[in-house]
Amino acid sequence: MRSMLSSGCVFLAVSALAGCASSPATGGAVVPLKRVRLYETGVGYFERSGAIPGDTAASLPVPAGHVDDALKSLVVLGGDQGVGRVVFDSRQRPAIARARAGLPADPDADIGFDVLLESLVGERVTLRTGARSVTGRLVGRVTEALLTEDRPNPAPRPHDDDEPDDDDEGVTASEVRNLAVVRTEGGGFTRLEVARLTAVLPLDQVVRDRFDQALRAEAARSGASARRLDVFSKGGADVTLGYLAETPVWRTSYRLVFGDDGKPQLSAWALVHNDTEEPWRGVQVELANGRPDSFLFPLAAPRYERRPLATPPRELSSVPQLLGTTPDGMWGDFTAGDEYGSGGLGLSGYGSGHGGGFARGRAGRHRRGQAGATSSDLLRLGDLARVDEAKGREAPTVFVYRGSTLLDLAPQRSALVPFLQRPVEADIISWFDGFSRVTGRFAVRFVNSGDTTLPPGPVSVFADGGFAGETMLDRLAPGERRHAPIAEDLDIRLERTSDRSSREPKRLVFRQGRFEEHYLQRRAITFTLSNRSGRAREVLIQLDAGRNAKVEGAPRITFDRERNRPLAGFDLPAGARDVGHSLVVVEGLHEVASPDALDVARLETLAQTMTLSDRNRKVAAAVAAERRRVQTADEALEKKKAEITQVEADIARLRGHLEAVKGETPATENPVLMRLLATEDRLTALRAERDELAASLTAAKRDVEAALAPLRPATET
C-alpha cells in the first residue's frame, strides 16, 4: 500500500505527532474473560465478569474487525446491571479521514512533504531545515527554475519563414526547485526548499488531531488492530457482560477403540484456537453443537444519510464566476464529478451467512436399467426404513459440551481438548456396496446411544491392539445409526451367479398433464458367500432399492438412512466356502412421460398386459391408435415441409436465370418466366397442404389427450 504509512512514515518528521501508530482509547483494567462458547457458524460468545468501580471505565479488548459484532450483541447478564455507557473510538473510512486532513483520498497515492504542505496551506506551522527553523502561516508551495550560468543565450538562426525552431530557447533550465513560502510571525515572507525540510510541525491542535485520525483510520483497515470498548458503571457494580466475535470454527476428531473385551469406547476431541491477542487464563470453554444464524452488520462506523439538495429557482452562485478563471477557460473545461464515485462513501449493505460442515451425498433414486424410474406413490409394498426406525429422543436445537477443566491458552495458540468419553454401540462388520464387488470392505456399524447429537468429524478406529482404519462421521442425532467403511476385507468374497429382472405394470394414470406407468419391478439374485478367515463374520449387502420395497430370502433386513438403501444381513461362519443364497427384491416404481413422448410400441404392449385392469388396457389401446395417427400426420407434415424447401430453392434459381436473360425475349415468350410462374403456383398449393396437415396434427394431439382423459384421478375430473 503506497500511502501515508508507506512513504517513509512522513508523520515521524511532523515532529509533534506521536509516530505512525495510533493507540487505542485508554480505559481502566480489562474485565476478566471467564467463559468462551464456540459455535460452528464461525462466531464465539465471550463472557467477562468483574467489578467496575464507579465513575471509571473497565475495558473490553476487542479487535477492530470485531467491534461491529460486539456492539450488535453486547448484553449485560449478571450483577446489579449498573452499566451506564460503552465508549469507543469512532471508526472512519480511510478515504474520509484522509480528505478531512486535506490528503489525497486515493489509498495508493504517495504522500511526501510536498503533498503534506498542500494540505497545510493557511495553517500555522513550524518548518525546519537542518539548524534553521521558521514559524508562521504557510502561504503555499511554488516551483522555481534555476538558470544555467555557463551558457549564453543562443543567437537566433536565420530561417526562410517566421516559424520558431524547437531548439531556439532564450534560457535553459538546469534544475527545478520546490519551495515552501511562509508568512512569518513578524509579518514578512520567507521561503524554504522542500527537498531540505527535515520536519513539519502543525501548531494547531485541531489540525494535528485530524492527521492522527487519518492514521487511526489507516490502522483500522486491519481487522486485527487493537481496540477497546470502555464500560462505565453507575456507582460501581459487579457485572457479567457477553458479546459475539468472529472465531475459528471448532472441529471434532474421534477415536473409536475396541478393547480386548470387545467393548467399544468413543472419545471425542475438539480443536480450538485462540486467535486473539489476549491470553486465556482459567477460561471455561464450551463447544456448541449447532448452527444458530449469525450475520455481519456494519454498525461501529458513522453513517450519513443522503439528503436531496433543494436549490432556489435561480442558479445564484456564492462566488463570482470569474474569480479564478476566464470565459475562455470556462469554454470546454469540464470536471469529472465525485472523486469517490457514485455512492462511494455510502453504506453498501450487509449479507448473512451460515456455517457449513460436510455431508455425504445421498445415493440417487434411479433404478437399474430404468433411468427415469422413481418410487411409486400408488403401489405400497411397505416402508423398509421402519425396520430400523430411530430411537432418538427430543432434544434442544443446540447441544453444548462443557470442558471438565478450565483452559489456559496463549494468544495465537491452538489446543486439542477432550470433551467426550463414553461407551458406545458399535461393531465391525463386512460390507458390500451392491453385487458388483467380489471382495468386500470392513465397516463400522455405529449407533449414537447417547442423549446428545454428535458433530461431524474424522474417526480413527483401533482394534486388535492397533490401527484398523479411518472414516468420516456425519452429524449423528441420538439413536441414529451409521455404516462407515474403514478398510478392505480380503477374506470375504461374493460371487453373483444370476441376476434377473422383470416388470409388472399395475396402474396407468394421467395427472397434471403427464402419463404415468406404475409397476412392480421384481429382481431375483442368486449368489455365494465365502469366508476365508478364522472368525465368523456378519455380512451386510446394500441393495439397489428404496424404502417402498420388500425383500425375501435374507435372514434380516435393516435400512441405511444416510444412503436411503435397504441392507441384507447374513451370518457367515469361519472358513465357510461358496454358501449359496437367493434374494428377491420387489419395488414399487413409476415412470412419467408427456403425451407427445409416448411410444406406440410400449402402449400396444400395455394394451395386452393382463396385470392391468380392463379399463387401463382399453385406454392404452385407444391412446396407441391416436399416437399412431399423430406419428403419421407428423411424418406427412415433415415431408411436405421438405417439398416446400425444395420448391423455394427452385424459385430462387429460376429468378436468377430470369435476371440473366432479361430483355432477350418478350416476357410472353420467355420459357424461364413460364416455369417460374408455374413453380410459384405449386408453392402456393404446397403451403396450403402444409397448413391442412398442421391442423390435422394439432387435432390428432388433442385426440391423444382426450383418449387419456379416462385415466385422470377423480380429483382432476
Side-chain angles (χ1 to χ4, degrees), residues 247-272:
T247 58
V249 175
W250 74 278
R251 292 166 292 168
T252 306
S253 177
Y254 295 98
R255 285 88 173 122
L256 180 60
V257 180
F258 290 86
D260 295 337
D261 57 0
K263 296 181 179 179
Q265 290 277 335
L266 180 70
S267 61
W269 298 70
L271 186 63
V272 300

Side-chain angles (χ1 to χ4, degrees), residues 73-84:
S73 60
L74 186 64
V75 60
V76 181
L77 295 173
D80 50 14
Q81 301 187 4
V83 172

